[in-house]
Amino acid sequence: MSETAVTSESPALPHISDATLRDSAHMAGVEFGPQDAAVIADLLVRTGVDLVEVGMVSGPGSKDADLVEAVHEAVGPKRSMTLVVVRDRQQVAQALDEAERLGVHHVMYSIPTSAEHAALKLGSPSLKFLQTLARSAISQAKDRGFHVTFSGEDGARTPAERLVPYVTDGFAAGADRFRLAETVAYLSPWQMEDVIGGITAIEGSEIEIHSHNMLGMAVANSLAAVRAGAKWISATVGGIGERGGNAPLAELLTSLRIVHGDTRFDLSHLTELSRVALKGAGLGEAFQSGPTTPHAFAYELPGQLTNPEAYETLPAEVVGNVRELRVRTRLSPALVRWALAETGLSVDVDAFTSWLARRQESDGAPLLDRDAIGKAAVDFLAQ
């Protein structure tokens, strides 16, 4: 029996980017070190992955600087991409300064496109405001010589009458690629084909798909996007990532081989990649996608905890799960305030957060959840 099942209608084979060192690294409670980053990046490139996405930059003094530098040392800046947060023109300029300092070649802008996410993160749901912000950010980066991918965060839930003008404007401003982020798993494969088909029709467009796996369809949706004309797929090793995980790299590459006869990749590195990534993430020997796992509704950003409906495919309670905080070193007063809200403890949150951060550093950054933060607050008050 043949290993491949190539169809007569196979689409052009896609480029692959891997977001393990960005999306997975910012999963609640997961913090890769520089050594992990270097090994993972090297194995990804040896596998044949085109681009290694690493780190997030929002301004000076990026906490991910060591990861970005480790990946640049391992595979070079032209084989890597760093996400740049977009909030306003001045903030973008400061973030690009930091990206230049780190030697970044390829930036990927994180820009919320759904009205709900835009209102939450940008303070306005206005499409006109969104377009103006994106054009400004793209032109700033192109003027500095960056290769620019711009995103549609929560793009899968963004109506076509809002998404298409945004994407059209972004390419007109000089962007090199657009990434549709299925931030909240939402689409079936046939719906994904319709959405992607609407933006691949834009003249001069180059489209990437980044799917989350809460509904178990991230690989299927990625292949459907390629069928509709997308030229890039974003995946993660083991499917590790926020909100039920991402399109798992091994399943994606083996599917490309079996379904489309794609033999471009050296699959022999995949098991080692999974071992290294799972160990570095502190996830044991396996990562499980979907809505019933302890990490499916775990967050470490205050906005996710206070506005969960903006990030969840369905509420945790529907499947008998619970929403939880998981954090190691990315503590903030807002997170601590949320964790202590129902404890009845009266504590100086700023002072306690600083104290807890110092204790985390001295203890090796153990995983903290709501209960652990509450117990730490009792210790703090007892001093």
Side-chain angles (χ1 to χ4, degrees):
M1 183 176 178
S2 171
E3 183 188 36
T4 60
V6 186
T7 72
S8 60
E9 298 181 359
S10 293
L13 296 176
H15 298 285
I16 305 297
S17 67
D18 183 275
T20 306
L21 297 171
R22 194 276 301 170
D23 196 309
S24 305
H26 292 94
M27 177 183 167
V30 174
E31 297 182 21
F32 289 106
Q35 186 174 358
D36 294 322
V39 173
I40 290 168
D42 178 64
L43 286 169
L44 285 168
V45 169
R46 287 162 61 187
T47 299
V49 167
D50 296 278
L51 206 56
V52 179
E53 188 178 347
V54 55
M56 181 185 301
V57 172
S58 60
S62 170
K63 291 184 178 180
D64 290 336
D66 56 349
L67 293 187
V68 174
E69 290 169 343
V71 169
H72 287 181
E73 181 68 24
V75 302
K78 290 190 176 181
R79 292 297 294 267
S80 67
M81 174 171 69
T82 295
L83 184 146
V84 172
V85 176
V86 173
R87 292 295 178 264
D88 58 58
R89 183 178 178 84
Q90 183 178 3
Q91 175 268 319
V92 168
Q94 293 175 338
L96 292 176
D97 287 344
E98 177 73 352
E100 284 188 327
R101 184 186 73 81
L102 294 171
V104 171
H105 171 76
H106 188 155
V107 296
M108 200 281 284
Y109 278 134
S110 175
I111 307 176
T113 54
S114 69
E116 183 175 15
H117 271 240
L120 179 63
K121 294 186 174 183
L122 303 177
S124 171
S126 165
L127 174 59
K128 184 176 180 180
F129 173 75
L130 181 66
Q131 290 171 298
T132 300
L133 180 64
R135 284 196 302 266
S136 171
I138 291 165
S139 62
Q140 283 188 72
K142 293 304 294 183
D143 287 346
R144 296 184 188 220
F146 288 104
H147 185 285
V148 179
T149 295
F150 71 115
S151 78
E153 184 183 349
D154 201 26
R157 295 193 301 179
T158 303
E161 59 269 22
R162 183 180 177 91
L163 184 65
V164 173
Y166 167 77
V167 177
T168 302
D169 259 24
F171 281 114
D176 299 284
R177 181 155 70 248
F178 171 74
R179 171 185 284 181
L180 181 82
E182 195 181 14
T183 306
V184 179
Y186 182 72
L187 301 176
S188 66
W190 50 94
Q191 291 170 319
M192 180 64 77
E193 282 199 48
D194 287 342
V195 172
I196 295 294
I199 54 178
T200 55
I202 297 169
E203 185 176 355
S205 65
E206 181 174 289
I207 307 300
E208 178 173 1
I209 179 63
H210 175 85
S211 268
H212 280 259
N213 207 30
M214 184 68 89
L215 300 178
M217 293 191 288
V219 169
N221 279 351
S222 298
L223 296 179
V226 171
R227 182 180 172 91
K231 296 180 180 178
W232 286 78
I233 298 174
S234 170
T236 66
V237 177
I240 302 169
E242 301 174 285
R243 296 178 299 281
N246 296 278
L249 181 69
E251 285 89 326
L252 174 64
L253 297 188
T254 52
S255 293
L256 285 171
R257 177 168 291 200
I258 297 302
V259 176
H260 294 304
D262 186 353
T263 58
R264 295 172 297 162
F265 302 97
D266 184 351
L267 306 184
S268 67
H269 300 297
L270 291 174
T271 298
E272 176 68 2
L273 262 170
S274 292
R275 185 192 67 79
V276 173
L278 287 164
K279 182 179 179 181
L283 292 171
E285 297 183 353
F287 175 82
Q288 182 182 346
S289 64
T292 61
T293 64
H295 50 257
F297 298 94
Y299 305 110
E300 65 177 15
L301 295 177
Q304 294 172 330
L305 290 162
T306 56
N307 298 276
E309 67 285 349
Y311 295 91
E312 295 175 357
T313 303
L314 72 176
E317 296 78 14
V318 170
V319 294
N321 209 335
V322 294
R323 197 169 294 114
E324 185 55 273
L325 179 156
R326 289 173 177 244
V327 64
R328 295 184 188 273
T329 68
R330 298 179 184 129
L331 286 162
S332 69
L335 281 178
V336 169
R337 195 171 291 109
W338 185 89
L340 299 179
E342 298 178 6
T343 64
L345 295 170
S346 179
V347 61
D348 182 329
V349 171
D350 290 332
F352 171 55
T353 302
S354 297
W355 176 87
L356 183 56
R358 292 193 297 271
R359 192 172 87 166
Q360 280 291 93
E361 185 176 359
S362 65
D363 290 350
L367 187 65
L368 295 174
D369 58 14
R370 191 165 21 188
D371 289 341
I373 292 175
K375 292 175 182 176
V378 172
D379 293 342
F380 176 75
L381 291 169
Q383 293 183 111

